[in-house]
Structures are given as structure tokens and as C-alpha cells.
Amino acid sequence: MSRRQMSLAPEQTDSRLMTEAEAREAAQKLKAREDFFKLMSHEIRTPLNGVLGMLSLLNRTSLTAEQQSYLQTARESGEHLLTLVNDLLDYARIEAGHIHLESHLIELEPLLQSVAELLSPRAYAGGIEIAWSLDPRLEAIEIDEGRLRQILFNLAGNALKFTKSGGVLIGVTLTEGGAIRFGVRDTGAGIPEEARVRIFEAFGQVDPSHAGAQYGGAGLGLVVVKKLIEAMNAELDLQSEPGRGSLFTATFPVPCTLRTAPEPRATPDVICLTANPVLAEAAQSHLQSCGIRVRQGTQLKGIGRRSRAVVLADRRLLPEPVPAPNNRSLILLAPEEREEISAWRDKGWAGYLIKPLRRSSLRERIEALSLKPLPNDERVVATEDDRIVPVVAPGVQVLLVEDNPVNALLAQILLQREGCRVERAASGEEALKLIEAGKPYDIVFMDLGLPGLDGIGTTRAMRANGVKLPIIALTANAYEEDRRACLTAGMDDFLTKPIELPALRHRLNQWCGRANAA
């Protein structure tokens, strides 16, 4: 692991020589500001977690159309507030202090998959697609994962905000010079040439009206991106054409590892039926990685019942569940369309895939269906997508360490909805007593800001006592140094508030299997 640090503090760019006392005083002021921003982050995000979480739970109850409309407006307002808070705090900290960078080898596929899936609710709520593509030669790169994730979230989130049709594609390629280029391309309105510099300036907007209710935000997300990319010795570029969308790219001169090229073999015939170019390009990229070529189309007509082609049909093309064109057909659904799965199967569809498409799931389904006999007398048994399974952790015993009663109630409900059995401790000392009593927990969710013994100290005490359970930080402290501090103390993972349900399900999927196998 390599570490480097860049100072962006205005105080430290002063050309005059400081005395030792002045330097000490400047360092103290810097630390005070850092502590203040961390406190503000925690204090603002904690109640927001309760507000957004409870609105999400309310959305699952029986509501009238009028109530649904009010609820949606409240959720959108809360999400805009969260975005604004994040951008303001990130900008203030970068301007006042240091950017700490830690490089380690990270796999690109799970990174891109998680970014796209966490942003997918926002995309599908707006009627557009979000997808990712990865150069089939690339496997992993050495970089600061937290900072890279923040760059991709800011760029893709900004693109979603200004895209009304089509979608957003997050792509990674290997350049001729051996650098790694991340691109976020959208099919939005584009950016006029005179505004392309202004949007990277503090509080800059393409149009002043964008700061109003239509879009939300203060124009700081791209400023944060620019400063992070500069600190990482990378290059930022913007290409845009009004009416045809924009492409933001960040090129990093970092080491990488490459995949072994797939062995030549007979490949199945695949037809992807969609009117959305983002979805089509993502499917092509995923299958190209295993040597499968894809034909494009926009209608089911012409595909015979005896066709050997594997059909991928976008749900957005079809008004309702219709008979499958052949017995090798998969319907591509958004997560919120999961209630339709049985209706499509009743119409003869062999199965489904959930968008954003996952490379491994797509390849596995296609390979299984390509071997299916043409007479429709056998069904291919396919595993369920883990974004659709009703609960992801049935029977898992959870110790929830959380002192805030509202956030504790929210986390408990979310965990119970995933099949968990939850016991709560309101302090680190109480958590240690429950562990010492020998209760058979499978996983611990640990708040950081506990009274008395905090989450870091509680974790260290558990590890010192030989506790090997997975411990997941559950906190409103959303900064990268907080994540590193948690991992250094012995925690296994990091989950920020407000709690995103896909992120919670992912942690349960990832860690409960290990806990149960131990």
C-alpha cells in the first residue's frame, strides 16, 4: 500500500516563512476546522437518516395516490438536502485541509457494479437507464478506492440530474499509453461551450436557474471532482454537444492487472431487444468479455418459436407481459418491477435479469439457456438475482449497537425485513456484556458515536477478547478517514447513514455467509 498527501489549505500556500509557534497555531486551527466539519457531517446526516429511512418505510405501506404524491415530494426534497450537505461539507473540508490518499489494488467489476446499483433507484424513478461497461482486458487497478468511488458518484449523479431520456453509462477503458480512463457519458441536454469552464468553479452552474427547485444543488459536486482528480495526478476532460449529451473522463496513470483473454469457442446467438442505447452498449460490453457477440433489435416480431437465439428483451419495450418469442427468452426488469416475475414466467419466459445488468449473471443465464433443448418441455433452473430474493438473511442473528432511538428503530426494521433477528445494545459497554454472555450472534452493526466507549473502542475491545464476528460500521461519519479508522480498529466493512437498502442487503449477503460458515 502506498500513501501520499496533498495540502490544499490556503494557509500553507503562503510564501513567507512561519515561526515554529505560528506553524503550531496554524496546525491547531486546521485541526479545529477538520473536527468542526466532521461534527457537522455527523449531526446533519444523523437526523436525515431518520427522515429518509422512515419515509422509505412509509412508502411500503398502503397509501392513496394523493398520499404517494406527497411522500414522493418529501423524499425528493430530503435527497436534495442530503446531496447539498455532502457537497458543501466535501468542498469546505477540501478547501480547509488535506486530501489523504491511500492506494491499494481494487477489482473494477464490483466497484462499477456497486456504483451503478446504488444510483439505479434515482435513474429508474426518472424513467432512464444507468449501466456500466468495462474493457474486457482490465481486471484491477491500484488506486484510492474511496476517492475514486466519490468521483464516480459525483459525476454519475450529476449526469442523472440533467438527463431526461436515454441514460448514463459509466465506462472504463485502457488507453494506448497504458493509463486507465473512467468515463461518464449521458444522453442529456449537453453543455454549451461557454459554460464548460464555469461548471468546475465553486458554485458555478451551466445556467443560474439550475440552482433552483428544478435541479437542486449548489454546483459543488463537480468542483469536488476536479480537486480530487488534481490531487490524484489525473487528467479531467469534458466533451459535450448541446442536444446530444456529455462525456466526462478522468484518466489515471496507475498500475493495473489484466485478464486472460477468453479461449475461442462456439458462442451462442444472442439478440438484445431494446430502444435504449445505454442498455444495449452495456449488454454488448458485458458479453464481449467472454467472446459473445450480440445482435440488436427493437421488436419481438420475426423471432420464431424454433429460434436458437437467446433473447434479451427490455421490459420498457413491452406494454405488459406477453408470450415469449421462444423458450430461450429473458425479460430485463428494473428492481421495482419484481412483482411481475411470475406473470412473465406464466407467459413462457425462461427467466429474468435485473437492471443494471451484472456481467456474471448475464453470462451464466445465456450459457445455461443456449444448452436448452428446443422443445419447450424442460425448464432451465436458474438462480434468483439477489436483488429480488424476498429476504437476504433469514434467521441471521444481529447485534445492533446504536444509541439513537430513531436510527435504532429504523435499522432494526430494515434488518428484520431481511429476515434477521435483532438484539439492540444502546452503548459499547452493553454490547460487550452481551458478547461476553455468549449469545450466538452472526454479525454486529456498530455505530461510531456511542456515549462512553465509542464504536472504535468497542470494536478494539471485542477483537482483544477474541471476537471474530463480522463487525460493520454503521455511522453518519461519511469521510474516507473514518472508513480507514474503522478498518484499522478491526471492523470488516463500513455502511454510512442515511442507510441505503441495496447497500445494507449487499453487506448482509457478503458477510453473513462467512459468519454462518465459521
Side-chain angles (χ1 to χ4, degrees):
M1 178 183 292
S2 60
R3 176 181 292 184
R4 55 195 174 89
Q5 175 176 308
M6 171 171 282
S7 172
L8 297 179
E11 299 95 318
Q12 297 186 352
T13 61
D14 195 337
S15 59
R16 69 183 180 87
L17 295 177
M18 289 187 182
T19 66
E20 185 176 345
E22 289 174 330
R24 211 168 30 244
E25 182 182 359
Q28 289 173 349
K29 288 182 178 179
L30 182 60
K31 185 178 184 305
R33 283 200 291 187
E34 287 280 290
D35 291 343
F36 173 77
F37 292 133
K38 290 179 71 173
L39 176 64
M40 285 299 97
S41 175
H42 183 276
E43 293 303 309
I44 295 173
R45 292 172 68 91
T46 295
L48 265 178
N49 177 59
V51 171
L52 292 176
M54 289 302 174
L55 288 175
S56 178
L57 292 178
L58 182 61
N59 192 44
R60 300 186 183 189
T61 64
S62 178
L63 300 171
T64 66
E66 185 179 19
Q67 290 169 330
Q68 284 278 7
S69 175
Y70 296 157
L71 178 61
Q72 183 62 27
T73 301
R75 288 186 64 183
E76 289 176 356
S77 298
E79 288 167 359
H80 283 165
L81 177 59
L82 179 61
T83 299
L84 177 61
V85 166
N86 288 340
D87 287 348
L88 282 171
L89 290 172
D90 283 338
Y91 174 75
R93 293 182 78 242
I94 287 173
E95 285 296 292
H98 299 77
I99 297 178
H100 300 276
L101 299 175
E102 286 192 1
S103 299
H104 54 279
L105 199 65
I106 63 166
E107 292 189 25
L108 287 166
E109 184 173 333
L111 170 70
L112 297 173
Q113 178 178 298
S114 67
V115 170
E117 289 180 8
L118 286 173
L119 288 171
S120 66
R122 194 187 311 176
Y124 296 130
I128 60 177
E129 296 287 342
I130 186 168
W132 57 275
S133 67
L134 174 61
D135 191 315
R137 297 170 293 176
L138 286 172
E139 181 177 39
I141 63 172
E142 187 173 325
I143 203 166
D144 188 307
E145 181 178 5
R147 299 302 185 187
L148 175 59
R149 188 181 294 270
Q150 185 177 6
I151 289 169
L152 295 179
F153 267 118
N154 282 19
L155 287 176
N158 186 73
L160 288 173
K161 187 189 303 184
F162 297 103
T163 302
K164 301 305 177 186
S165 64
V168 174
L169 182 70
I170 306 169
V172 186
T173 57
L174 179 65
T175 69
E176 292 183 1
I180 311 301
R181 178 166 295 150
F182 288 80
V184 174
R185 176 159 50 85
D186 65 67
T187 56
I191 302 171
E193 185 172 357
E194 65 274 10
R196 293 174 197 171
V197 174
R198 187 166 66 245
I199 61 174
F200 291 108
E201 297 172 350
F203 312 102
Q205 299 278 354
V206 173
D207 187 300
S209 65
H210 289 175
Q214 182 181 4
Y215 295 104
L220 290 175
L222 294 180
V223 181
V224 171
V225 165
K226 182 173 183 289
K227 290 186 177 294
L228 287 175
I229 288 176
E230 289 173 349
M232 298 169 80
N233 294 326
E235 294 182 3
L236 176 64
D237 183 59
L238 167 61
Q239 299 176 22
S240 186
E241 183 178 346
R244 299 180 65 89
S246 304
L247 171 63
F248 290 84
T249 60
T251 305
F252 296 87
V254 293
C256 66
T257 62
L258 303 180
R259 295 182 182 276
T260 304
E263 296 181 3
R265 58 176 177 169
T267 59
D269 181 21
V270 179
I271 304 174
C272 182
L273 303 178
T274 179
N276 193 296
V278 169
L279 178 59
E281 186 170 343
Q284 177 66 66
S285 169
H286 293 338
L287 293 176
Q288 182 184 354
S289 67
C290 52
I292 299 176
R293 297 191 63 182
V294 183
R295 291 187 285 143
Q296 305 294 330
T298 57
Q299 57 183 351
L300 297 177
K301 185 178 179 180
I303 303 174
R305 298 288 299 173
R306 304 283 298 176
S307 170
R308 292 184 174 275
V310 177
V311 179
L312 309 173
D314 185 4
R315 171 65 178 88
R316 292 184 187 273
L317 277 181
L318 306 170
E320 59 185 11
V322 298
N326 65 9
N327 69 330
R328 299 181 176 191
S329 299
L330 295 171
I331 189 71
L332 309 183
L333 302 171
E336 64 269 18
E337 294 167 337
R338 57 186 177 273
E339 295 85 0
E340 299 183 6
I341 290 172
S342 59
W344 289 96
R345 282 179 168 155
D346 290 343
K347 293 290 186 179
W349 292 77
Y352 67 92
L353 284 167
I354 297 300
K355 302 181 290 184
L357 296 177
R358 293 178 172 180
R359 176 180 285 182
S360 56
S361 299
L362 182 60
R363 182 179 64 248
E364 289 168 5
R365 301 294 173 87
I366 288 176
E367 289 178 348
L369 287 173
S370 67
L371 301 175
K372 185 174 183 177
L374 282 178
N376 198 7
D377 54 6
E378 290 188 29
R379 297 175 67 90
V380 171
V381 179
T383 57
E384 297 289 325
D385 189 294
D386 64 19
R387 291 166 286 178
I388 290 303
V389 177
V391 296
V392 299
V396 166
Q397 301 279 351
V398 174
L399 174 58
L400 173 64
V401 190
E402 170 65 77
D403 65 305
N404 184 288
V406 174
N407 288 331
L409 176 62
L410 172 61
Q412 185 170 343
I413 293 173
L414 292 176
L415 289 165
Q416 288 173 341
R417 286 178 178 269
E418 299 305 327
C420 300
R421 298 174 184 173
V422 183
E423 185 164 2
R424 179 197 169 197
S427 68
E429 291 83 358
E430 184 181 349
L432 291 174
K433 289 179 181 179
L434 290 173
I435 290 289
E436 290 169 3
K439 296 200 174 185
Y441 300 114
D442 297 311
I443 190 169
V444 179
F445 284 92
M446 181 76 68
D447 183 36
L448 294 192
L450 298 169
L453 188 64
D454 64 11
I456 295 289
T458 304
T459 299
R460 287 175 176 155
M462 286 184 178
R463 295 307 190 210
N465 292 335
V467 175
K468 297 183 179 179
L469 294 174
I471 301 177
I472 313 300
L474 184 62
T475 177
N477 294 341
Y479 294 121
E480 179 63 18
E481 55 265 36
D482 296 314
R483 185 188 71 84
R484 289 197 296 266
C486 290
L487 299 180
T488 301
M491 296 188 188
D492 297 283
D493 213 330
F494 189 84
L495 189 60
T496 59
K497 301 172 186 175
I499 301 171
E500 296 278 356
L501 184 57
L504 178 64
R505 290 169 65 97
H506 174 71
R507 299 312 191 280
L508 289 170
N509 263 320
Q510 180 178 2
W511 294 106
C512 290
R514 299 183 189 183
N516 292 334

